[in-house]
Amino acid sequence: MKIIDTTKNPNINQSLPSKTHSTATNSPIDPKHATSPMTHTPLESSIPTKIKERKLLKFLKAIKNWVSKLPFVPRILVISLPFALIIGGIGYFTYTSITSRVDPQKINLPSDIDAKVNNPNPSIFLEQISDPKTMENPINGIFMSVKEYEKMTETPPIAVMIENHPDARPQTGLIYADIVFETLAEGGITRFMPIYWSHMPEYVGPVRSTRLYYIHWLLPFDAIYAHIGGAVTDSPNTNAMGALFTYNVKTVGFSDIYWRDSKRASPHNAYVNTEDMISAAKTLGYSMESNFTNPPFKTDATYTNRGETSCYVIPWKNFTSGMDVEFKYDKDSNSYKRYLAGQPHVDAITGSQISVKTVIIEETTFTQSFDYEGHLILGTTGQGNATIYIDGKKIDATWSKSNVNDRTKYYVRGTNEEVVFNRGQIWVMILPINLYTLQDR
């Protein structure tokens, strides 16, 4: 709306019609018939006005006489009342102008401010002011509000065994994991063990059987564990099913909570619902507590302090077809986009590409069991070398895990300085020494 300032444009006032009546001398009436100014008859419209004025003067005089007859104190109060009302009105208007609160949702914000407030990308929102994110997820370090943290810790984390056979791709739910462990099963094909706590996806799969080394990596998280079967052998080095009971794992691998998708071929079509996992665990009487010791976390490096390094991995040199992985660094998001067999590794439901904040390549010992299934024996305790990718940079590191119940710790190689991770999803690939390929890109 355009506002016109008449004080700066005198022509505006001149264009307005006059509110005064013309005198007889200025009238367009013929001068011969004009009435003399001395004998000019007043306009009839002024008569009611003078009557009102006389009534008002009479009323005011009556009020004055009434007030003058009052005692001194009441007279002072009556006289000061109008002034008190005026001063009180001014004070009330000033107070409400300063202290009144306006609903932020009703403010017509300028476009640049509105973008910062209402854009879902910034890390701070208006509604977060009353519920700030002051708590830390112990697994991947993301900040949460007190309400979110309390809700999360009502149950333990959950873990699911997911396969990586070409017929099982794309998988469902990997993008939501707080941390993912990946290593070889048989035949040069890897499997995943995602662990969820901050976000429980509705569906996860395809679900497959467990191996002993995955159980060893699971134990520090004290998580509910979904799997369909597992290795059964006479050797304590490979007997996964026996280890479930030895270590009192919160397994729901024997529950009837799994189903198969008819659109995929068996055995690459079994899925599980995370709420069903929690319900089954409660039915089995498992504790809903978890005591996980968190690693150190930090905020992302600033843009100018970020590197450019990506990494390319072949888990087993002898089995390169369809198993090669690239974590391609994206400097803008400070994350690593995962590619599998040369294609973006995406989620089956959302189509979103897996994107992680920290990549860990941990090398370990390896021997063959030479049993009928060709199960592998991978070292899970002790120490060894690792390569870690954070902020677009490579860190030469070592890993250490004193016993199966301890969290694996990572140190800058040659020091006692523990590696500090970025907040967000962590991806750990644990591969046999001298049998994998790792290249910087």
Side-chain angles (χ1 to χ4, degrees):
M1 179 177 69
K2 185 175 181 180
I3 299 175
I4 301 175
D5 188 350
T6 59
T7 63
K8 297 181 179 179
N9 190 355
N11 294 327
I12 298 296
N13 289 331
Q14 294 173 4
S15 66
L16 296 176
S18 173
K19 293 183 180 180
T20 60
H21 295 283
S22 300
T23 64
T25 56
N26 294 329
S27 172
I29 298 176
D30 187 346
K32 294 181 180 181
H33 298 90
T35 305
S36 170
M38 297 299 294
T39 60
H40 176 67
T41 303
L43 295 173
E44 292 183 357
S45 60
S46 66
I47 295 174
T49 302
K50 290 186 176 182
I51 293 174
K52 291 179 181 179
E53 289 176 353
R54 287 196 294 267
K55 288 183 178 181
L56 178 60
L57 290 173
K58 187 177 180 179
F59 174 75
L60 292 175
K61 185 175 182 180
I63 293 294
K64 180 180 178 182
N65 293 334
W66 175 76
V67 171
S68 64
K69 294 178 182 180
L70 292 174
F72 178 75
V73 174
R75 186 164 65 247
I76 295 300
L77 292 175
V78 171
I79 294 173
S80 61
L81 180 61
F83 298 99
L85 291 174
I86 294 172
I87 294 172
I90 295 173
Y92 175 77
F93 176 79
T94 304
Y95 173 80
T96 55
S97 299
I98 295 174
T99 61
S100 60
R101 295 184 178 181
V102 182
D103 184 356
Q105 300 300 326
K106 296 180 181 179
I107 298 176
N108 293 322
L109 297 171
S111 58
D112 58 336
I113 299 177
D114 181 73
K116 294 178 182 178
V117 172
N118 297 320
N119 191 326
N121 290 326
S123 59
I124 298 178
F125 301 86
L126 288 178
E127 60 268 23
Q128 291 179 355
I129 296 174
S130 60
D131 195 14
K133 296 183 181 296
T134 57
M135 305 299 290
E136 185 179 78
N137 181 331
I139 297 179
N140 68 357
I142 65 170
F143 285 120
M144 317 176 74
S145 69
V146 173
K147 291 181 180 179
E148 291 171 333
Y149 184 83
E150 290 175 347
K151 178 65 176 177
M152 181 184 75
T153 53
E154 287 177 357
T155 63
I158 66 170
V160 185
M161 282 304 307
I162 297 180
E163 66 165 321
N164 194 25
H165 190 281
D167 292 340
R169 303 172 188 168
Q171 295 86 359
T172 300
L174 287 174
I175 58 172
Y176 301 113
D178 293 333
I179 187 170
V180 178
F181 291 88
E182 178 183 9
T183 195
L184 295 161
E186 297 77 38
I189 300 174
T190 63
R191 290 189 183 179
F192 310 111
M193 185 178 69
I195 298 177
Y196 306 91
W197 209 8
S198 58
H199 186 108
M200 300 288 190
E202 186 174 4
Y203 303 114
V204 181
V207 185
R208 287 300 297 269
S209 57
T210 185
R211 298 293 181 266
L212 178 61
Y213 35 87
Y214 279 108
I215 295 173
H216 289 177
W217 296 320
L218 171 75
L219 290 176
F221 299 92
D222 197 19
I224 300 169
Y225 191 30
H227 57 96
I228 299 178
V232 180
T233 71
D234 294 331
S235 170
N237 295 320
T238 54
N239 186 15
M241 297 301 283
L244 294 172
F245 300 98
T246 300
Y247 298 116
N248 296 315
V249 175
K250 297 172 182 174
T251 175
V252 290
F254 306 98
S255 304
D256 58 351
I257 58 175
Y258 307 90
W259 76 92
R260 293 193 179 276
D261 182 357
S262 60
K263 296 179 181 179
R264 291 194 177 196
S266 181
H268 314 294
N269 61 348
Y271 293 84
V272 68
N273 176 277
T274 55
E275 290 185 2
D276 290 343
M277 289 178 60
I278 294 171
S279 296
K282 290 180 178 178
T283 300
L284 292 168
Y286 294 137
S287 169
M288 291 293 104
E289 296 182 355
S290 180
N291 297 311
F292 175 71
T293 303
N294 59 292
F297 295 101
K298 69 176 185 66
T299 56
D300 287 12
T302 60
Y303 188 85
T304 55
N305 289 324
R306 297 172 187 174
E308 302 282 351
T309 306
S310 303
C311 67
Y312 175 78
V313 185
I314 300 175
W316 195 318
K317 295 177 182 179
N318 295 331
F319 297 89
T320 59
S321 178
M323 287 293 125
D324 57 308
V325 174
E326 183 176 7
F327 289 97
K328 188 176 292 186
Y329 180 64
D330 177 59
K331 190 171 184 178
D332 290 335
S333 64
N334 197 31
S335 63
Y336 297 84
K337 311 295 184 181
R338 181 177 162 96
Y339 290 78
L340 179 60
Q343 301 297 320
H345 193 173
V346 300
D347 181 75
I349 294 179
T350 67
S352 299
Q353 186 175 6
I354 294 172
S355 178
V356 306
K357 299 295 287 187
T358 301
V359 179
I360 301 173
I361 310 297
E362 177 183 328
E363 62 179 37
T364 188
T365 58
F366 158 79
T367 56
Q368 289 277 9
S369 67
F370 298 107
D371 60 20
Y372 67 99
E373 291 284 352
H375 294 123
L376 307 181
I377 302 174
L378 297 179
T380 56
T381 59
Q383 56 188 357
N385 288 331
T387 305
I388 302 176
Y389 295 86
I390 303 175
D391 297 323
K393 300 177 181 179
K394 181 176 75 170
I395 300 174
D396 292 327
T398 57
W399 64 268
S400 175
K401 183 177 171 71
S402 300
N403 61 71
V404 293
N405 292 298
D406 287 342
R407 170 179 68 86
T408 303
K409 295 181 179 181
Y410 300 91
Y411 299 92
V412 176
R413 194 174 301 172
T415 74
N416 292 322
E417 176 188 352
E418 192 166 358
V419 176
V420 183
F421 301 144
N422 280 342
R423 302 180 191 279
Q425 190 179 77
I426 302 169
W427 198 286
V428 186
M429 293 188 74
I430 304 173
L431 303 174
I433 298 174
N434 299 326
L435 292 178
Y436 71 96
T437 298
L438 174 61
Q439 299 174 355
D440 295 338
R441 290 193 169 184

